[in-house]
Amino acid sequence: MKIHKNWQYQLLALLLAVFTWYLISGRERVETWVQMPIELVNLPEELVIREGMVNRLEVRVRGPKSLVRALNTKDLAYTMDMSGLEQGRQTLALQQQNIPISRALRVMEIRPSRVELLVDQLLAKTVPVTIDWTAELDADFQFIEGKTEPQRVELEGPSTLVDPLESVSTKSVAVHGKRPRQWQSTVGLEVSPEVEVRPATVQVRLKFGPKTTTLWVKRPVRLTGPNKEYTRISPQTVR
């Protein structure tokens, strides 16, 4: 087998071709959209974001094709510092310099570019539980009493929702039968999804029974026995 005398030159030409291709492809600029989650840091414990916060953002990046293709979005996250957050409505801009990508890539656009937040004070309070029930009872039957266990629950959430609440109602329950004696079950509570309630359910007991009426009856007083004609009675009637 003959070995070509210029094999070194052929190998060098091949290496130069590969290197040239790498330079050309590396200089080729492309754009693409990538998604990344938003992480909140330093959020004050006494505040809660009610509206406007998004979980992810989209970023349009431009750069060499090789770097764009090698971009691993699984490890990327946009960090928002919430230490300056205040109660009320406020606008926070998303900064391009906070996008955690290589400096060889250029950030062209962010969606959304800002978030409009509604921030409220976090409030906790304890309130009693009321029972919401319905039943079709006979005319001579009545509701006697209702109890819950526990009788009070703790609410925690935005102050504009929690502060006006003086009590919290159970979900509506229907008692079947015309003459029930007792009804018992575990029932959830009617609260806003933004408000956390502890515990989330209560044990409800309802008691029913026949109607009763109190009547006053007037009756004369009579004396029996010997010598009754010498005795005076006062009063002469009782009720």
Side-chain angles (χ1 to χ4, degrees), residues 153-214:
V153 293
E154 183 179 357
L155 306 177
E156 185 175 14
S159 60
T160 53
L161 296 179
V162 175
D163 192 45
L165 295 177
E166 298 299 330
S167 64
V168 62
S169 173
T170 66
K171 293 185 179 296
S172 181
V173 297
V175 180
H176 300 289
K178 299 290 186 179
R179 303 172 66 86
R181 289 290 181 172
Q182 193 170 8
W183 186 94
Q184 179 175 323
S185 184
T186 301
V187 183
L189 301 172
E190 285 287 356
V191 293
S192 168
E194 297 183 58
V195 177
E196 182 181 359
V197 56
R198 296 184 293 267
T201 60
V202 295
Q203 189 74 14
V204 176
R205 296 181 181 88
L206 302 176
K207 185 178 180 181
F208 303 87
K211 292 181 179 179
T212 58
T213 303
T214 301

Side-chain angles (χ1 to χ4, degrees), residues 114-163:
R114 63 183 181 275
V115 288
E116 304 281 345
L117 303 181
L118 175 60
V119 184
D120 203 349
Q121 196 81 14
L122 196 62
L123 177 65
K125 66 186 298 187
T126 302
V127 296
V129 179
T130 61
I131 306 173
D132 180 11
W133 63 272
T134 59
E136 296 182 1
L137 304 177
D138 281 344
D140 60 345
F141 234 65
Q142 65 179 347
F143 169 74
I144 297 178
E145 66 175 358
K147 294 182 178 180
T148 66
E149 181 60 40
Q151 297 181 357
R152 302 175 68 87
V153 293
E154 183 179 357
L155 306 177
E156 185 175 14
S159 60
T160 53
L161 296 179
V162 175
D163 192 45

Side-chain angles (χ1 to χ4, degrees), residues 27 57-59 112 130 167 199 209:
R27 290 179 180 178
L57 57 81
E58 293 182 319
V59 181
T130 61
S167 64

